[in-house]
């Protein structure tokens, strides 16, 4: 016969915060998929927002690239003027 006692019940006080946080995240994600547009954003809505955010970041990068190119061209022109003059 074994002298081991049965495992005690697991409660919120016996699990780590990480495990509890991950479990809450899973439940929240599942809730989004099941409930739908009426109450909680769906994955489709989240994906569209991600696409829009990617486009906005791409536009910002393009604008920054344009500004840097303009700055480089301006400095190059200023150096040429200094060398000639």
């Amino acid at each position: 016969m074994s002298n081991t006692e049965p495992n005690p019940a697991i409660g919120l006080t016996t699990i780590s915060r990480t495990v509890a946080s991950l479990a809450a995240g899973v439940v929240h994600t599942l809730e989004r998929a099941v409930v739908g547009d009426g109450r909680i954003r769906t994955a489709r809505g989240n994906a569209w927002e991600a696409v829009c955010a990617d486009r906005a970041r791409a536009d910002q990068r393009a604008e920054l690239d344009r500004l840097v190119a303009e700055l480089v061209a301006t400095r190059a022109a200023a150096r040429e003027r200094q060398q000639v003059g």
Side-chain angles (χ1 to χ4, degrees):
M1 285 188 125
S2 174
N3 289 340
T4 61
E5 295 180 22
N7 290 335
I10 296 177
L12 285 177
T13 58
T14 58
I15 62 173
S16 72
R17 287 183 179 152
T18 303
V19 172
S21 175
L22 290 172
V26 168
V27 170
H28 183 67
T29 302
L30 179 62
E31 183 181 36
R32 279 185 179 180
V34 173
V35 174
D37 287 331
R39 306 187 94 201
I40 296 175
R41 295 184 342 212
T42 62
R44 183 177 180 186
N46 291 339
W48 178 247
E49 286 183 20
V51 167
C52 292
D54 286 344
R55 288 178 180 171
R57 281 191 297 273
D59 290 343
Q60 290 171 347
R61 281 191 300 270
E63 179 66 14
L64 181 61
D65 289 345
R66 186 190 66 75
L67 290 172
V68 168
E70 186 178 314
L71 179 62
V72 168
T74 302
R75 285 188 163 200
R79 284 184 188 153
E80 287 178 15
R81 277 186 254 137
Q82 283 179 347
Q83 291 174 355
V84 171

